[in-house]
Amino acid sequence: FKTGQNSYWVGSVDLDIVIDDGDDSNSVQLCPSWAMHSTCRVKGDTGIKVIVDQHQRSVDEQILLSHGDALRGMQLEDIVAAVTGETLDTRTAQVRRNETTSGNFIADALLSYYSRGNMGQTDDIDTMAFINGGFIRGDTRYPVGNDLTLRDVLEEMPFPRVSCLIEIQGMYLRQAMEQQLCVCPAASGAFPHVSVNVIIEYDVKLPRLGRIQRFMINGRDVSDETKYRVVVTDFVASGGDGASAWCFGVQQAIDGRPSQRISTIVLNYLKECEELNARVEGRLRCV
């Protein structure tokens, strides 16, 4: 059964079945117990590795095919960008608690795709983007100077989620972001990473759903009555991670910008940039 991520643990289940046949009812009682076992000190088995490698080659082929024309002619070991600026941080403990370089970069890629180069503005409506920390799965660090491969990018974003552009009233946008932040400072896959044109200040000492002290898009305070556009995943747009306020948003369409896989959008953005120059800039501030 699923125990954490990236095979860091293996789960075992013991199931005791007690049958009481002392009367006509023949009652059965199930008594389960389970445990998680760390794999950090387990040495690999040569025979198993052969099987895994064979399966991995098949999986690699399916990954490339599943992206259609977007990855045509590419190999998973192809270099797609160089890491510059700051270390690219995808560690689970960070992306689920704090602003990170990886979250910032993905949010900026989404914003760029839907803003058509005019970062933060679509049809005179303030637009932002965000990605939830649980979407980023690599749990690693890429130092400055490292080359990022296609495999790296796809392993960081393994879910086949597609992008959505929703239009939402300011009061519901604020509620949604409160819901994304409601369990802070505990780690949560709902933790939001926002695009470059957003500043959110929040206080974890305040009651849940009332923690945001400042919320700005394009240098302007978010107004309850104003409509905004937000780029999110289809998972978030449907109220995933318990952030139900997103369901008040209405999905929008922009000519020439169909919904695409998040990983495809990020890869295309990397091709344009040729380097991954992400930084932690104080977009989300715990005050």
Side-chain angles (χ1 to χ4, degrees):
F1 64 94
K2 186 178 187 298
T3 50
Q5 67 184 57
N6 298 343
S7 299
Y8 294 152
W9 300 274
V10 172
S12 64
V13 177
D14 293 322
L15 185 61
D16 291 330
I17 303 175
V18 181
I19 302 176
D20 184 1
D21 55 2
D23 54 35
D24 294 336
S25 64
N26 289 331
S27 64
V28 177
Q29 183 179 9
L30 301 180
C31 304
S33 61
W34 56 89
M36 293 173 62
H37 309 277
S38 172
T39 61
C40 68
R41 299 185 185 277
V42 177
K43 294 182 179 180
D45 182 277
T46 304
I48 295 297
K49 185 178 186 304
V50 172
I51 298 172
V52 171
D53 288 346
Q54 290 175 345
H55 180 66
Q56 186 64 59
R57 286 191 289 271
S58 175
V59 170
D60 289 349
E61 292 176 2
Q62 292 302 314
I63 289 173
L64 292 171
L65 289 173
S66 70
H67 284 76
D69 292 339
L71 302 183
R72 188 177 299 277
M74 297 187 70
Q75 300 298 319
L76 290 176
E77 306 313 320
D78 288 352
I79 296 172
V80 295
V83 178
T84 63
E86 296 178 9
T87 295
L88 182 67
D89 192 349
T90 69
R91 289 174 297 172
T92 301
Q94 293 300 313
V95 297
R96 294 176 179 236
R97 282 191 178 95
N98 303 301
E99 176 186 348
T100 62
T101 48
S102 58
N104 284 357
F105 185 80
I106 295 172
D108 288 349
L110 295 177
L111 181 64
S112 177
Y113 178 71
Y114 277 98
S115 297
R116 291 172 288 189
N118 184 14
M119 294 289 274
Q121 202 75 26
T122 55
D123 301 332
D124 298 324
I125 297 178
D126 284 329
T127 303
M128 62 168 282
F130 103 91
I131 193 76
N132 56 305
F135 185 80
I136 305 168
R137 309 296 288 194
D139 194 23
T140 191
R141 299 172 80 243
Y142 304 88
V144 172
N146 269 31
D147 290 325
L148 205 65
T149 67
L150 175 59
R151 184 186 297 277
D152 293 330
V153 174
L154 297 182
E155 287 183 350
E156 291 292 348
M157 295 174 285
F159 301 131
R161 294 293 181 185
V162 299
S163 59
C164 291
L165 179 68
I166 61 174
E167 189 167 289
I168 189 169
Q169 193 172 334
M171 64 180 294
Y172 298 121
L173 172 58
R174 181 181 292 272
Q175 286 180 20
M177 296 308 290
E178 287 278 12
Q179 290 171 338
Q180 300 289 152
L181 290 163
C182 72
V183 303
C184 291
S188 170
F191 188 87
H193 299 268
V194 297
S195 51
V196 67
N197 60 331
V198 178
I199 292 176
I200 296 177
E201 294 180 351
Y202 62 99
D203 187 347
V204 296
K205 298 186 296 295
L206 296 176
R208 294 184 179 188
L209 305 181
R211 293 176 167 179
I212 294 178
Q213 302 299 290
R214 186 185 184 198
F215 189 177
M216 301 182 73
I217 303 176
N218 293 331
R220 294 180 286 272
D221 289 326
V222 169
S223 167
D224 284 352
E225 304 304 320
T226 302
K227 289 186 177 180
Y228 299 89
R229 284 181 175 166
V230 188
V231 188
V232 296
T233 66
D234 53 342
F235 170 76
V236 169
S238 64
D241 281 331
S244 58
W246 291 113
C247 296
F248 289 100
V250 178
Q251 189 164 345
Q252 304 292 301
I254 294 182
D255 292 342
R257 290 295 184 270
S259 293
Q260 282 195 356
R261 281 192 179 188
I262 307 299
S263 55
T264 300
I265 292 174
V266 171
L267 282 167
N268 288 334
Y269 189 60
L270 282 170
K271 291 177 183 177
E272 296 174 4
C273 299
E274 297 184 349
E275 62 180 31
L276 204 161
N277 187 17
R279 299 178 184 275
V280 173
E281 302 169 321
R283 303 179 186 184
L284 282 113
R285 306 168 186 171
C286 183
V287 296

